[in-house]
Amino acid sequence: MADTVPRPDGLPERAETLVRAAWVLTVGPEGDIADGAVHIRGGEIVAVGGYEELRAGLADVPVVGDGTGLLIPGLVNAHTHLSEALTTGMGSELTLFEWGERIVGPLGTVLTEEDAREGTLLRAVELLLTGVTTVNDMFVHSNRDEFASLGVVDGLVRAGLRGVVSFGAEDAYDPGAPWADVKRIMDEQDDLAAAVALAAAHGAPVGFRYGVGTLLGQSDELLEAGVDACRARNWAVHTHLAEVREELVAASARWGRRTIPHALRLGMFERPLIAGHGVWVTEADVEILAGNGAAIAHNPVANMILGSGVCPVPRLRAAGVTVGIGTDGAASNDSQDMLQAVKMAALLAKVHAVDPAVLDAPTVLRMATLDGARALGQGDLVGSLEPGKRADLVLLQDSVCVSMLHDPCGQLVYGASPRAVRDVWVDGRRLVVDHTCAVVDERDQIERARPLARRLALASGLAAAGISRLAGPPDWAPRTPDRRRSWEDQAEPDE
């Protein structure tokens, strides 16, 4: 098919297409359109409307979709950690602080740029097949020998995903460690920002934010250096705030104030800021977030697994705080299934409030699309199906779970599964075709990732500690990696 012919950089061409569905849920001014369609060309949405009306003037344009499915804006995963891409399924009975100390900490010391690249490509398959077109990543590591976070840029570019990347550095928990050096950390921030700028110059839809792993995880020196850098370079911020009760107790003991007031005092809210979780917020915290235009990424699945609490989504939204939805990392969620996170966001709010009307399906879909885009400063580009926006869209079709559309939005939020994701476009490139990822070979990527995951389990000591049982047969050794071209080898930027 013309729209799946590989480009020299390995991605499909942007092809003019008319995408048809029984219902187009625009999350925009057009609302929900029965027997609707979206016309895309050159990576942009040209028109949105009824299928027959659009088709009349586009007789020669190929049509995708048989008119039975759902067409929605691409989902925005507002918070994750691709540093956890190869380390799922451990520590589900640990609290956040225990989990960080016993699992994430040891893993972070041995993560490499190769792990970042291959792990990103592995999870890109899962993200795309659950309707994600934009991902906001924070790569957390403490490998003194490599700027491992740069591998995420390569992985996102090869997969064709729209992404925002950050390096979630921490230096406070082991200040004597070789990697706990403020200059070294800031150098990686600069290099990551430069890698993003180079990829963007070659046409990749990627951006950068300054990462603060956690406020408690950073020394006062690093916190101040980061705020200064954000002021000087106009960097936006990605961090965590008010995730668990222990965080608030520890912050009060260290600074005499909780983390949100301390971030305010540091000047962190002077730049656009998105924070994961926002579970344990006070009324004063909500006022600070709303007054400074900060956004929260709600991660219901991870919060439930870790027993962290329930984010007060209705309260935040009522105060004017933009709330997106995220999966969180694959080691605290154990998947990157965004459709699962969308459903859980709705259900968790309902059961917590003992009120089924507290958060309805259209609101949750908006959180997972337009609000997530706005939280990342991309609401003018993506998040809704409107002429002039970039062509990020998802067609759900051919599955029992979306076959009966009495209430299209309700069926999407409460009933849709990855089996229904038929086609996905990012920036006009069709990356999922007929339920199959067209840009990353799933079986091959699993094969590439397995030995890397085994190495991480062994090198981090998690296998020896009995936390990971991923030992594999004695003769299971990583195969020699191929020499696939990096995006840096592309000769010319896209026109």
Side-chain angles (χ1 to χ4, degrees), residues 312-392:
V313 171
R315 175 69 189 95
L316 290 165
R317 295 188 76 255
V321 178
T322 300
V323 181
I325 297 175
T327 59
D328 210 355
S332 60
N333 177 309
D334 301 311
S335 83
Q336 295 289 275
D337 184 341
M338 185 65 178
L339 289 170
Q340 185 184 73
V342 169
K343 181 174 181 176
M344 291 301 106
L347 300 189
L348 184 58
K350 292 171 186 288
V351 73
H352 182 64
V354 198
D355 179 1
V358 72
L359 201 60
D360 61 19
T363 299
V364 174
L365 176 58
R366 181 186 177 92
M367 289 168 58
T369 54
L370 185 57
D371 286 351
R374 287 175 171 170
L376 296 175
Q378 297 188 1
D380 59 334
L381 291 176
V382 295
S384 60
L385 302 179
E386 301 179 52
K389 286 197 172 185
R390 302 306 296 170
D392 288 16

Side-chain angles (χ1 to χ4, degrees), residues 325 435 468 481:
I325 297 175
H435 304 281
S468 169

Side-chain angles (χ1 to χ4, degrees), residues 155-229:
L156 289 176
V157 172
R158 291 181 181 187
L161 272 167
R162 189 179 303 278
V164 179
V165 300
S166 62
F167 167 41
E170 296 189 337
D171 68 335
Y173 295 130
D174 191 5
W179 46 264
D181 177 78
V182 172
K183 182 182 182 305
R184 184 229 172 273
I185 289 170
M186 297 309 295
D187 284 346
E188 182 163 352
Q189 299 281 7
D190 285 332
D191 280 15
L192 182 59
V196 167
L198 179 59
H202 285 81
V206 292
F208 169 83
R209 281 189 175 231
Y210 180 81
V212 180
T214 61
L215 269 70
L216 283 169
Q218 293 201 345
S219 65
D220 291 342
E221 180 186 1
L222 180 56
L223 285 169
E224 292 168 4
V227 170
D228 289 344

Side-chain angles (χ1 to χ4, degrees), residues 9 48 65 96 170 193 256 324 374 400 417 428 430 464:
D9 59 8
V48 179
L96 177 71
E170 296 189 337
R374 287 175 171 170
V400 171
S417 76
R430 194 176 174 194

Side-chain angles (χ1 to χ4, degrees), residues 384-425:
S384 60
L385 302 179
E386 301 179 52
K389 286 197 172 185
R390 302 306 296 170
D392 288 16
L393 54 159
V394 178
L395 176 64
L396 299 98
Q397 187 186 288
D398 306 330
S399 172
V400 171
C401 61
V402 293
S403 60
M404 304 299 159
L405 301 177
H406 298 287
D407 176 354
C409 190
Q411 190 62 37
L412 171 74
V413 170
Y414 302 117
S417 76
R419 291 182 62 246
V421 176
R422 184 189 190 279
D423 299 280
V424 177
W425 290 260

